[in-house]
Every structure is written in structure tokens, then in C-alpha cells.
């Protein structure tokens, strides 16, 4: 049974973890990797996926998404198996529905798989 994604993001490139992420973390939570989205950053931590999404023309309104790993039921990663992949995608099924992440070329889908497995299992 296929369901529509409740949200979808595109990660364009891996970037250094932002310095200001510390104020978002709880005790014992560690940032593992960060990725540039269209206007902002997504951060994989030991406890959740945090996605900052600026809204509007000025970008002053900011939505913060927090997806706890304990809510992830299963996931599937898809890629072409080529060195440079233009179509990598990660779909996660959560307690609320499906979350889709499209990955830009140069992002290692197996690294994402590994991070997700370490955090969610």
C-alpha cells in the first residue's frame, strides 16, 4: 500500500555542522552530519533529524522540523549504483506517515543509511 509523503526535502550537499546547532540539542544528543537544503540546513543527530526551513521572500519566518528516530518504523534507500548518482532517494515511514528525502549528486546514500541505522535501531 503506497501513501503520499507527509513532507519531502531535497539535500543538495553535505556541509559542516552549523555552530549554532548546540542550542537546539538536548542533554546527551550529538550532531552527526549536516546537509544543505534549498535555503537552509538539515542536521542528523543521535536522537533526531532537525530541518530548518525559512519561509517567505525574506526568510525571516522559520519552521523547525524535528523527526525523532524512535518514530521511524522503516525506511528504504534507492540509488542507481553508479559512482555519481543523480537520483538517490530515502523514504522513511514514521508514526505520522512517509517522509521523502531526495539527495543531490555527490551525497553518499550509504553514509545516510549507516547514520540512520545507528540512530534508529
Amino acid at each position: 500500500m503506497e501513501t503520499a509523503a507527509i513532507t519531502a526535502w531535497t539535500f543538495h550537499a553535505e556541509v559542516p555542522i552549523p555552530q549554532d546547532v548546540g542550542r537546539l540539542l538536548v542533554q546527551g544528543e550529538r550532531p552527526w552530519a549536516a546537509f544543505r537544503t534549498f535555503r537552509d540546513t538539515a542536521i542528523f543527530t543521535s536522537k533526531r533529524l532537525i530541518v530548518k526551513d525559512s519561509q517567505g521572500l525574506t526568510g525571516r519566518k522559520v519552521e523547525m522540523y524535528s523527526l525523532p528516530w524512535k518514530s521511524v518504523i522503516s525506511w528504504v534507500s534507492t540509488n542507481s549504483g553508479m559512482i555519481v548518482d543523480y537520483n538517490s532517494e530515502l523514504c522513511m515511514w514514521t508514526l505520522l506517515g512517509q517522509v521523502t528525502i531526495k539527495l543531490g549528486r555527490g551525497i553518499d546514500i550509504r553514509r545516510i543509511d549507516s547514520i540512520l541505522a545507528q540512530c534508529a535501531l
Side-chain angles (χ1 to χ4, degrees):
M1 179 169 128
E2 188 160 329
T3 59
I6 56 171
T7 192
W9 295 297
T10 300
F11 294 177
H12 296 285
E14 189 164 0
V15 296
I17 296 169
Q19 295 296 321
D20 64 348
V21 73
R23 66 182 198 200
L24 299 173
L25 305 180
V26 298
Q27 185 174 353
E29 185 176 16
R30 296 176 320 276
W32 287 20
F35 297 88
R36 183 174 50 81
T37 62
F38 178 65
R39 291 175 71 170
D40 287 301
T41 307
I43 303 155
F44 283 78
T45 77
S46 56
K47 297 189 181 281
R48 61 192 161 148
L49 172 63
I50 301 169
V51 180
K52 179 181 171 189
D53 186 17
S54 294
Q55 302 289 310
L57 295 174
T58 63
R60 284 199 238 175
K61 182 178 177 182
V62 177
E63 288 184 352
M64 296 292 286
Y65 294 88
S66 181
L67 175 66
W69 298 127
K70 64 183 178 184
S71 73
V72 175
I73 299 165
S74 65
W75 69 90
V76 62
S77 61
T78 308
N79 75 332
S80 68
M82 305 296 286
I83 299 291
V84 177
D85 192 347
Y86 298 96
N87 299 347
S88 292
E89 186 174 88
L90 176 72
C91 292
M92 295 182 285
W93 286 269
T94 72
L95 296 173
L96 294 176
Q98 182 180 339
V99 174
T100 301
I101 299 172
K102 296 180 186 295
L103 302 175
R105 72 171 184 239
I107 296 178
D108 182 358
I109 186 69
R110 297 302 158 229
R111 175 168 153 66
I112 302 286
D113 273 338
S114 176
I115 291 170
L116 189 52
Q118 290 177 31
C119 295
L121 298 178

